[in-house]
């Protein structure tokens, strides 16, 4: 570029020129893709980092460009994000664990795009797994309450988790139809409507109340815990039992595994009414000076939850009418 002016010098008009100044002229803006910055190539991000702080996407801006098209796809090439963006850096939230690729292109004032930048891969690591107490295999759970119930426990193995939420789904019901329940301890104990199979899933919550850890789904087959079986009498015990003539009777039975006590019952002859009940912590019981008559007896074990087990088959007990005390024999009578 040179500027030329004219001046009158000694009555003559003379040209005066400036030095030549070089410059470049360009019409419009070059549509080139931006240089990607973050996430870096093959960068690995923890799920907790993403869920609590978000995923920040940044790039070097192109001069004269105000808008960009950001595209993120998963490992199946499905689009996770494909929108026009204006903010740099851009914060994305709640991106699940997985392997992703991202690319960008510039947009002019008419949203005409440049070519795409190169795809850049990054990974959000899987959520830490909460471990079940007793393992994750299907488990039988026997409840001892009157109504069906379930107690499920898990380990406190993820340090950042201080609170949990639990979802208990009956078999045949959709998980999306079941609400989560918040708990402050690594266990859940709930009443259930029915016996059956239930799927239990736990999520650990971070300081901001978002899930940062998750358990596998564990199946529980819920049914009432079996009652203790009836005690066994010795094989040589007769079907009809007999008390002594004094009305005394002793009974023994075999120990039942899991029993803490036993209930010994003396019943009416038809077995319909309890005349006397004794609670003993041993495997014997004694009755003294019973009135003559016919009775029935039965024994049942009591477990650690104070539940009566199945009773033995009632045995008939006979108490004789005659007294066992005999009158003395008269040998000699002396008459004076």
């Amino acid at each position: 570029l040179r500027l030329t002016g004219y001046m009158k010098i000694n009555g003559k008009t003379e040209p005066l020129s400036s030095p030549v100044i070089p410059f470049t002229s360009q019409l419009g803006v070059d549509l080139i893709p931006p240089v990607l910055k973050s996430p870096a190539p093959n960068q690995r991000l923890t799920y907790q980092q993403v869920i609590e702080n978000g995923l920040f996407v940044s790039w070097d801006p192109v001069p004269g460009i105000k808008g960009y098209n950001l595209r993120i796809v998963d490992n199946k090439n499905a689009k996770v994000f494909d929108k026009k963006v204006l903010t740099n850096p851009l914060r994305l939230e709640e991106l699940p664990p997985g392997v992703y690729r991202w690319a960008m292109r510039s947009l002019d004032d008419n949203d005409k795009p440049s070519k795409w930048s190169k795809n850049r891969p990054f990974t959000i690591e899987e959520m830490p797994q909460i471990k079940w107490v007793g393992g994750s295999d299907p488990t039988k759970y026997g409840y001892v309450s009157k109504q069906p119930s379930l107690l499920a426990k898990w380990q406190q193995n993820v340090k950042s988790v201080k609170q949990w939420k639990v979802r208990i789904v009956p078999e045949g019901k959709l998980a999306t139809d079941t609400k989560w329940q918040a708990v402050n301890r690594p266990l859940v104990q709930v009443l259930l409507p029915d016996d059956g199979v239930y799927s239990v899933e736990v999520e650990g919550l971070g300081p901001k109340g978002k899930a940062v850890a998750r358990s596998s789904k564990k199946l529980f087959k819920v049914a009432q815990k079996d009652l203790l079986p009836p005690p066994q009498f010795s094989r040589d015990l007769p079907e009809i039992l007999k008390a002594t003539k004094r009305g005394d009777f002793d009974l023994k039975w075999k120990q039942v595994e899991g029993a803490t006590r036993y209930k010994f019952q003396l019943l009416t002859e038809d077995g319909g009414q309890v005349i006397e009940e004794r609670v003993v912590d041993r495997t014997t019981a004694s009755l003294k000076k019973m009135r003559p008559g016919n009775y029935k007896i039965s024994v049942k074990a009591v477990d650690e939850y104070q539940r009566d087990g199945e009773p033995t088959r009632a045995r008939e007990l006979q108490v004789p009418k005659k007294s066992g005390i005999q009158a003395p024999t008269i040998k000699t009578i002396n008459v004076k």
Side-chain angles (χ1 to χ4, degrees), residues 104-123:
M104 296 194 75
R105 58 184 179 179
S106 302
L107 302 175
D108 67 11
D109 291 340
N110 297 315
D111 285 343
K112 178 183 176 181
S114 70
K115 67 178 182 179
W116 286 102
S117 67
K118 289 184 178 181
N119 282 304
R120 178 177 286 186
F122 69 94
T123 300

Side-chain angles (χ1 to χ4, degrees), residues 105-323:
R105 58 184 179 179
S106 302
L107 302 175
D108 67 11
D109 291 340
N110 297 315
D111 285 343
K112 178 183 176 181
S114 70
K115 67 178 182 179
W116 286 102
S117 67
K118 289 184 178 181
N119 282 304
R120 178 177 286 186
F122 69 94
T123 300
I124 298 177
E125 296 176 346
E126 289 295 326
M127 190 181 295
Q129 188 172 68
I130 297 171
K131 297 180 180 179
W132 290 101
V133 172
S136 59
D137 291 338
T139 300
K140 291 182 179 179
Y141 179 79
Y143 60 85
V144 296
S145 53
K146 293 182 179 180
Q147 183 178 340
S149 62
L150 172 64
L151 172 63
K153 297 181 179 180
W154 53 90
Q155 299 179 22
Q156 197 169 352
N157 62 304
V158 181
K159 292 183 179 180
S160 59
V161 173
K162 303 300 180 185
Q163 189 180 24
W164 299 264
K165 62 179 183 179
V166 187
R167 182 163 60 186
I168 301 175
V169 184
E171 186 177 36
K173 191 173 182 179
L174 295 176
T176 52
D177 295 336
T178 306
K179 293 182 179 180
W180 290 90
Q181 174 184 346
V183 294
N184 294 317
R185 297 185 296 163
L187 62 88
V188 63
Q189 188 169 20
V190 293
L191 295 176
L192 301 172
D194 300 292
D195 292 0
V197 177
Y198 292 81
S199 172
V200 183
E201 184 179 10
V202 179
E203 287 189 350
L205 305 181
K208 295 184 179 180
K210 294 184 177 181
V212 296
R214 180 180 291 125
S215 72
S216 60
K217 292 181 180 179
K218 184 172 181 177
L219 295 179
F220 289 86
K221 186 175 182 180
V222 178
Q224 186 179 46
K225 185 177 179 66
D226 291 338
L227 299 174
L228 294 179
Q232 298 294 316
F233 299 125
S234 61
R235 293 183 179 180
D236 57 355
L237 190 72
E239 285 295 318
I240 299 178
L241 308 175
K242 293 185 179 182
T244 65
K245 293 182 179 180
R246 292 180 178 271
D248 299 340
F249 178 74
D250 295 325
L251 182 66
K252 294 182 179 181
W253 56 88
K254 295 180 181 179
Q255 184 175 352
V256 176
E257 184 178 357
T260 58
R261 302 180 296 173
Y262 299 90
K263 284 185 179 180
F264 173 83
Q265 292 181 330
L266 180 67
L267 310 169
T268 54
E269 185 176 4
D270 61 3
Q273 184 177 352
V274 177
I275 299 173
E276 183 178 352
E277 180 177 85
R278 295 185 184 180
V279 179
V280 296
D281 56 6
R282 55 189 183 277
T283 57
T284 60
S286 297
L287 296 172
K288 302 294 184 182
K289 297 181 180 179
M290 289 184 290
R291 293 181 179 180
N294 293 333
Y295 304 91
K296 285 188 177 177
I297 59 169
S298 179
V299 182
K300 50 189 172 183
V302 180
D303 65 16
E304 60 181 309
Y305 307 104
Q306 311 307 314
R307 299 184 308 158
D308 291 352
E310 298 292 336
T312 60
R313 181 172 57 84
R315 296 288 185 95
E316 185 177 345
L317 172 62
Q318 295 179 350
V319 179
K321 294 180 180 180
K322 294 183 179 180
S323 171

